[in-house]
Every structure is written in structure tokens, then in C-alpha cells.
Amino acid sequence: MTDTAAAQQQPTIHYPETRRTDTVDHYHGTDIADPYRWLEDDHSAETAAWVSAQNQLTQSYLNYIPFRKQVHARLEQLWNYPRYSAPFRRGDFYYYYKNDGLQNQAVLMRQRGLDGAPEVFIDPNQLSATGTVALGGISFSKDHRYVAVLVAGAGSDWQTAKVMDTRTGQDLADKLEWIKFSGIAWRGNGFYYSRYDAPTEQSKLSGKNEYHKVYYHQLGDAQEMDALIYVDKNHPLRNAGASVTEDERFLLIHTSEGTSGSAIWYRDLQDPAQTELKLLIPGFDHEPSVIDNDGDKLLVLTNHDAPNYKVVLVDPKHPEQQNWKTIIPEQQEVLGHVGTGGGKLFASYLKDASTRVMQYDYQGKLEHDIQLPGIGTADGFGAEKEDKDFYYTFTSFVTPGTIYHYDIATGQSTVYRKPEVKFNPEDYETKQVFFQSKDGTRVPMFLSYKKGLEMKGNTPVLLYGYGGFNIPMTPAFSVSNLFFMEQGGIYAVVNLRGGSEYGEAWHKAGMLEKKQNVFDDFIGAAEFLVKQKYTNPSKIAIRGGSNGGLLIGACMTQRPDLFKVALPAVGVMDMLRFQKFTIGWAWATEYGSSDKPEQFKYLVQYSPLHHLKKGVHYPATLVTTADHDDRVVPAHSFKFAATLQADQGGPAPVLIRIETQAGHGAGKPTSKLIDEATDVWSFTMWNLGMDFKQ
């Protein structure tokens, strides 16, 4: 089908009328209109009616697409294969997650030893009829007798903790609520966790989160009896999280003012004289994290004087930087993570966004350069101190996760479990290319597609990016993306500045006043693909979520001529008000804040909501969000979609798909994932002029 044919067959669209108000904000001498402010009220009947009308329009449009049911059927086929996590040992049992194929949530299984009979340990599918209750994390006590389980409903960041007896599988009476952005750190017959005060019903999903507190919960106690361990009453917008070294000697409190930089406090729990927390590493200019202790000293991963990170040994009694001892020096590649197991350190590096892993002893002696199968992402390098082996997962854009057994003494990896998928991975390939961004910076990009695909300048492309918060985009397998490749498309992932692919310097080059570099990189990637005759602007779709949704919003408003389809998901679209909702204030360290005059000036220049202009021909756009997203509140997407519908000067559709009983993305059930993928790919293919291939 040609683009013209597709355009001729577009259904007639009548957008729901969205009431405008004369709301105006005053920013440092500049007046900014916000006519759809009322859509920020997630409890109003008017907002609910608007959501219903928009969803009705979107579904009627999607129902018009002739191959939508075929897309759904094929996605369901591709999704329907058994998926396993790498097993991990706790006591006499090996635990692992398994999804038979179309189960809404993966089931936590266990078996006694490697040869034991598998049994269901926790099945979250039994926790709700719709599969929208998900496990948010588990943590075992040191004696492995108890496990604390975090549970989240409908995709919300709010979690509830319960405790199970691993011998009987029975729940204890313990139930802890209003947990957010927290792990579980056991010590003795209880554990540390972080929570906020209980919100009101009105503020639960959109209210600002303040005064993060660390508590200690003793098993058997009611939550109101939990001991308050840490709160910073002078800084309500700081987060705090607790961890405990494996031998339970040190309690560590990591505090942060946002998403960049942290401070570390400690308490030696074996020292009866130390009853208060002491500062180990001050904040908030660097990113330190404690790996483990070596006796009475602490191994710390840090980028202090090392943009690519290094490992140092810190004496808590003399924690000044001049007393640090370097254990693993900074290298050319960025050190992203250090795991422990069997008394060893496992350092995971990124080489052009692909994993490389080295095994060291605690003194920094290199023991093994672990051989991985190729370009991809390896994850799971860690175990308990007494373990002699463990299991890890390796994946790529065209290969589902394969599980490997690793022998710590020999450094040898062997395949333990290979997935049985309903396609041939050998039919697909990935290559890495490099291009120059607007300012001459060399930027990498992964291109994945079906082997033998002829590049004649008209190949459909899905261009994906994130570019922020020090998060790297490394190779990962997705059934959904495979579907697009199967249909003859190129799946392209750009390693934008703002991530951690090349260390802290790469991150800083894409944050605050330099955020435009991220958008320039993404635009440069599209221009490169056109110049190199892979594709042309009428065949390019762009996609990203959260901070990546901001990316799509910024790029489609800056270069609407370069893209045919835009797919911003759960995006940060209002850069002037994001700090006023839930955890948004924490992003000010990454973005800046409109509260500051000098930062307002650059934020308003790229804020997607404020960059829209009446009469411009924007790409076909499908905005996606969810009613329980309490990370990036859906008002961002609501206001952007309403404004874009009013301003669209061309014939391309502007739709918004608002998921119910779902949040920012975590824990979304398989059925909803397939439904959403069906809608996104149907919309994309239809507007790129693609036919469905059997």
C-alpha cells in the first residue's frame, strides 16, 4: 500500500471538544498560558469524561485498521513461549521466575537443589482477577527462613510488603503499607525499608512526595511500632534508602537530592559504642555506592575523580578521600555495576553499549575476563559469599535471554537453558553504526532487522531512544520489536547523550542546559539513516517512554518534517510544572526547574507542550499513558494531546490511548502488553503505509 493510498483511507476524525480556560502563569516576567490546566485534576468528572471520549475515538480509529486482528494474533503467537529467569540459590532451594507464555505475571518457582521437583512458591496471578497485581521485589532473611515480598497494584509506585515463612509458604501477619522507592534490607529478625506518610485519597496518585523515611520493622510487630531510623526534617525533598552488608555488620543509608548524586551514612552494628549514623561520603556531587565490606572497611563504587568509575576501599573511621585505597582503577570503558559472589567482585563494563565482565578478588587482582557470546547485555553476576557458582542471562536485540551457568573458580560459562521460541533468531541480525551529531560528537546506534533486507531508501524504521538519568540503552530482546522486524522494518536504538554509555561525561553532556544535545543526537540519527539510504522521512516512526517520551515530544515539535509517526509514551511533556507532582521534584537535578530564572529560559525552549504551534503539519501521533501512573502523572500526556489536536495543521491523526488499571509500565500484565503492542504497531504500520505480512 502506498502512502497516498493509506492517506486516502484514513477515517474521518472528529476530536472531542476540550474546554479551554484563560489560566496564565507568570514565570520571571514571562506569561505562559495553560488553557488545559483542568486536566491535571485526576479526580474530576470532567477529566474522566474527557478520558472516556478520547479512548472511544482512539478505539474507533484503531478498529478501522483492516489488519489489526492479524497483528494481535501474531503478537500472541510470538509472546507464547516459556520464559525463565536465571535461578538463584537461597538455602537449600533454587528460586527462579517462570512465565508459561501468556500468563499475566511471571510465577516465582523453587526446587530443592538442581534436580528437585519444581514447585510454585508465589503466584501473583492469584492476587487479582485481572493480573494487575505484580511482585515488586523479594528479599530473603540471612537464615533464608523468611522472605519479604513487595507487591504493587495497577502499576502504581506505591507498594505493600508482606512476609512469608519459606518452610511453610504461609504469610505472617506482618503487613507494611505506603512503601515507595524502597528495597528490603534484612538484619536479624527484621528489616529496614523506606516509606512516606500515608497520603490522602485525593493526593495518592498525583500529590508531591515529601519526607522519605527509613524504618526498621521487627517481625511480628504492627507497622506503627516500627523504629524510625532516618528522616531529614530540614530537606523534605530528599530520598533515603537502606542497605546492609551481607554479613549484617554495616547499615548503610544512601540519601539523594534528586536523581543525580548521593551521600552515604553508615553505622557499624557490631560496635556497641556507635549508636548514631555517621557520614561516610558527603553528597551530592558524585555517585557513590557501597558494594560490600571487607572486614571493617567498605568497598565503594564511585565516580569521584573518575568519570568512568572505579572501586575504592574506604575506612569508615578515616573516610576522607585522601585515605581511600584504589582497588579497581578507572578504565577506558565505563564501569556500570559491581556484583559480589563467592568472595569475588564481578565488574560489568560497557564497551560501546555492550557488556563486558571481569572477575577480581577483593584486593583488585584480575582473575578472569569472562567470555560472553557476542554483542549484547549480560546480567545477574552475583551470588552469596559461600557460593561456588551462579547463573546469569545473556540477551541481544535478536536473541531471547539465554541462561548460563558460571563456575567461579574456573571462569567458565556453559549454557544452562536456551529459550524455545516460535521464530528463528538466525534469520535476524544486528549491526552497530556510528554517526556525527550536530556538534560533531560521535554517537553509536544499533540497527536490527531481517537478514537479506534490501536498503533502497524506503525501509520502515522504528527509531527508539531515551537519553537521560545516566541510564544506558543496551541490547535487549523484545517480542514486540521482533514483530516489527518480521514485518520488514528496521528497529534502531540510539545511544544518546544523557545516558551512561560513556560514563559521567556522556551523562552531563545531555542534562540541564545541555539537554538539547539529546534531541540533536536523535534528530542526527534520523538524518543519518536518510542520508545512508536506509529510509526516508515518510517511513520513520519514533518512539520513547518517560524521559524518552519527552524526547519524542521535543523532536516531533522541533522537526515535524523528519518523522511520519510519533509514539510518545508516559512522557514528561510540561517542563514547567513537572516538579509539582509526585516524585517530579527529584528530576530537577537532571532537567533544572522553572522556579529558577536561568533554568526556565532553556526549559521553555524545548518543553514539548510549549513548543507546539498552530497550523504546523505534525506527524501521525499516538500518545500513550495510564490512569495509575504516579511517576509521570497522565496530565502531561492529557495536556499535550489536547494541545496537539487543537494545533494540528495537517491530515495526520492525533490520538491518545489511556490505559486503565495500569501505571508507568512496571508490572503490566501480559494481556495488556499484547493489547498495547497491537494498537501501537497497527497505528504505526497503517500510517507508514505498510501491509501486514503473514
Side-chain angles (χ1 to χ4, degrees):
M1 183 186 299
T2 65
D3 295 296
T4 305
Q8 286 174 345
Q9 295 183 47
Q10 292 280 11
T12 302
I13 296 177
H14 299 288
Y15 297 116
E17 189 172 337
T18 306
R19 179 172 63 88
R20 292 176 62 89
T21 67
D22 57 1
T23 304
V24 175
D25 288 317
H26 308 285
Y27 293 94
H28 319 292
T30 302
D31 290 344
I32 302 290
D34 194 3
Y36 303 120
R37 174 74 58 83
W38 60 271
L39 284 169
E40 292 180 356
D41 185 353
D42 57 335
H43 288 275
S44 80
E46 189 178 14
T47 300
W50 183 88
V51 167
S52 177
Q54 291 287 348
N55 270 342
Q56 198 171 357
L57 170 65
T58 299
Q59 289 307 310
S60 67
Y61 178 93
L62 294 169
N63 286 335
Y64 182 86
I65 298 172
F67 48 71
R68 184 182 178 205
K69 289 183 179 178
Q70 293 168 284
V71 172
H72 187 277
R74 181 54 182 153
L75 283 167
E76 199 168 60
Q77 282 181 330
L78 287 170
W79 233 287
N80 192 13
Y81 72 94
R83 297 183 292 282
Y84 295 84
S85 74
F88 57 94
R89 189 184 66 83
R90 293 294 182 268
D92 296 332
F93 289 90
Y94 281 90
Y95 294 83
Y96 59 92
Y97 291 91
K98 180 187 178 185
N99 190 310
D100 288 339
L102 296 178
Q103 288 175 290
N104 275 321
Q105 303 289 342
V107 177
L108 182 58
M109 308 289 293
R110 74 173 182 179
Q111 60 192 59
R112 190 179 293 273
L114 287 174
D115 300 321
E119 62 183 31
V120 173
F121 185 59
I122 302 175
D123 183 358
N125 297 292
Q126 303 301 314
L127 301 178
S128 75
T130 57
T132 53
V133 174
L135 299 184
I138 61 171
S139 179
F140 289 83
S141 60
K142 187 167 178 60
D143 63 4
H144 308 119
R145 179 176 174 179
Y146 299 107
V147 60
V149 181
L150 290 170
V151 176
S156 171
D157 280 337
W158 290 114
Q159 296 179 316
T160 299
K162 64 177 184 176
V163 182
M164 288 177 60
D165 186 323
T166 61
R167 299 171 304 174
T168 64
Q170 297 299 307
D171 289 348
L172 277 61
D174 305 65
K175 183 181 179 183
L176 312 179
E177 296 187 288
W178 307 118
I179 297 172
K180 211 177 206 187
F181 312 127
S182 175
I184 298 290
W186 283 88
R187 179 183 177 253
N189 208 35
F191 53 82
Y192 300 93
Y193 68 99
S194 305
R195 61 162 291 190
Y196 292 103
D197 291 336
T200 65
E201 188 61 32
Q202 284 288 114
S203 67
K204 187 165 64 173
L205 292 178
S206 59
K208 183 184 281 191
N209 300 138
E210 297 180 308
Y211 297 107
H212 210 212
K213 300 174 182 177
V214 175
Y215 286 90
Y216 179 78
H217 174 73
Q218 185 78 23
L219 290 188
D221 286 351
Q223 187 172 16
E224 53 267 26
M225 298 172 63
D226 292 351
L228 178 63
I229 302 299
Y230 179 90
V231 63
D232 189 337
K233 294 182 178 178
N234 296 319
H235 299 92
L237 301 184
R238 285 182 181 171
N239 277 349
S243 62
V244 176
T245 53
E246 189 176 332
D247 63 2
E248 298 193 347
R249 174 167 181 172
F250 287 96
L251 165 66
L252 303 154
I253 305 290
H254 286 71
T255 62
S256 61
E257 285 201 319
T259 55
S260 296
S262 60
I264 302 178
W265 300 77
Y266 82 97
R267 183 180 161 202
D268 186 341
L269 300 172
Q270 290 184 9
D271 182 356
Q274 188 189 348
T275 57
E276 301 291 329
L277 291 164
K278 294 183 179 179
L279 187 63
L280 181 75
I281 299 177
F284 294 92
D285 296 330
H286 303 287
E287 304 268 3
S289 60
V290 174
I291 300 164
D292 194 11
N293 65 306
D294 190 2
D296 60 354
K297 298 180 176 60
L298 292 161
L299 286 161
V300 177
L301 175 66
T302 181
N303 61 353
H304 192 113
D305 293 334
N308 286 351
Y309 291 84
K310 62 184 177 182
V311 176
V312 297
L313 190 67
V314 179
D315 183 350
K317 293 183 175 60
H318 306 283
E320 299 80 14
Q321 194 215 341
Q322 62 265 29
N323 297 322
W324 294 359
K325 178 184 177 183
T326 298
I327 301 299
I328 302 177
E330 181 185 23
Q331 299 191 21
Q332 188 174 353
E333 289 88 22
V334 61
L335 176 56
H337 175 73
V338 180
T340 62
K344 308 296 182 182
L345 301 175
F346 297 92
S348 293
Y349 293 89
L350 284 180
K351 181 173 176 59
D352 293 329
S354 184
T355 305
R356 180 184 174 208
V357 185
M358 319 289 279
Q359 177 180 316
Y360 295 88
D361 67 13
Y362 271 44
Q363 287 70 51
K365 178 186 175 185
L366 177 62
E367 296 183 336
H368 299 295
D369 183 346
I370 299 170
Q371 299 302 305
L372 299 175
I375 293 177
T377 302
D379 188 48
F381 287 85
E384 297 190 322
K385 268 204 170 75
E386 63 269 24
D387 287 333
K388 293 179 168 46
D389 59 2
F390 57 80
Y391 297 82
Y392 68 88
T393 303
F394 181 86
T395 186
S396 74
F397 289 114
V398 297
T399 309
T402 299
I403 300 169
Y404 288 82
H405 170 264
Y406 181 75
D407 186 282
I408 295 172
T410 65
Q412 295 300 308
S413 298
T414 53
V415 174
Y416 171 71
R417 177 174 280 139
K418 200 170 184 178
E420 300 173 6
V421 293
K422 294 181 174 66
F423 76 101
N424 184 6
E426 298 301 318
D427 290 344
Y428 299 86
E429 63 180 320
T430 295
K431 73 174 181 178
Q432 190 173 38
V433 298
F434 295 84
F435 65 91
Q436 282 199 339
S437 189
K438 184 177 181 179
D439 63 358
T441 299
R442 186 172 181 260
V443 179
M445 174 167 51
F446 291 106
L447 304 178
S448 302
Y449 47 85
K450 205 165 189 176
K451 289 178 181 176
L453 188 64
E454 291 187 44
M455 309 298 179
K456 296 180 178 179
N458 62 350
T459 306
V461 168
L462 190 287
L463 191 63
Y464 181 86
Y466 186 77
F469 295 95
N470 215 22
I471 296 172
M473 291 293 102
T474 61
F477 179 76
S478 158
V479 166
S480 179
N481 295 330
L482 173 78
F483 168 81
F484 185 66
M485 292 181 238
E486 186 181 71
Q487 294 298 313
I490 299 172
Y491 177 64
V493 175
V494 198
N495 296 110
L496 307 163
R497 281 175 282 185
S500 64
E501 287 87 345
Y502 296 106
E504 185 59 15
W506 194 254
H507 173 216
K508 286 184 174 178
M511 61 186 286
L512 295 171
E513 76 280 0
K514 296 179 180 177
K515 187 69 177 176
Q516 183 60 40
N517 285 336
V518 181
F519 314 138
D520 289 342
D521 290 353
F522 197 68
I523 290 167
E527 292 176 333
F528 171 84
L529 292 172
V530 172
K531 186 178 180 181
Q532 296 298 315
K533 306 296 185 188
Y534 286 96
T535 190
N536 64 71
S538 70
K539 292 292 183 180
I540 301 176
I542 55 175
R543 188 179 190 183
S546 194
N547 174 72
L550 159 63
L551 168 74
I552 302 309
C555 290
M556 67 177 283
T557 54
Q558 292 183 20
R559 286 295 307 276
D561 60 305
L562 190 54
F563 314 111
K564 184 70 172 179
V565 175
L567 304 164
V570 294
V572 188
M573 300 307 206
D574 184 346
M575 297 306 297
L576 304 185
R577 288 177 59 78
F578 69 84
Q579 72 274 21
K580 299 182 182 296
F581 304 98
T582 62
I583 197 65
W585 54 263
W587 313 333
T589 53
E590 182 81 11
Y591 296 142
S593 169
S594 62
D595 297 334
K596 297 182 178 180
E598 67 281 7
Q599 294 179 338
F600 163 76
K601 288 179 183 177
Y602 64 74
L603 286 167
V604 77
Q605 288 300 313
Y606 72 76
S607 176
L609 178 64
H610 303 96
H611 213 267
L612 290 167
K613 295 180 176 63
K614 193 83 173 174
V616 173
H617 286 226
Y618 289 106
T621 304
L622 179 61
V623 180
T624 52
T625 187
D627 64 348
H628 277 64
D629 190 345
D630 48 5
R631 186 87 55 86
V632 180
V633 293
H636 282 277
S637 294
F638 293 176
K639 295 200 298 182
F640 183 76
T643 307
L644 185 55
Q645 286 178 351
D647 287 354
Q648 174 65 295
V654 174
L655 304 173
I656 181 168
R657 183 186 189 278
I658 304 146
E659 186 72 81
T660 57
Q661 291 298 299
H664 199 59
K668 188 175 287 187
T670 299
S671 58
K672 285 184 180 289
L673 291 172
I674 294 173
D675 288 346
E676 182 178 29
T678 298
D679 291 348
V680 167
W681 289 127
S682 296
F683 180 88
T684 300
M685 291 171 62
W686 181 247
N687 284 283
L688 290 182
M690 298 171 66
D691 281 322
F692 178 81
K693 296 179 181 178
Q694 297 289 349

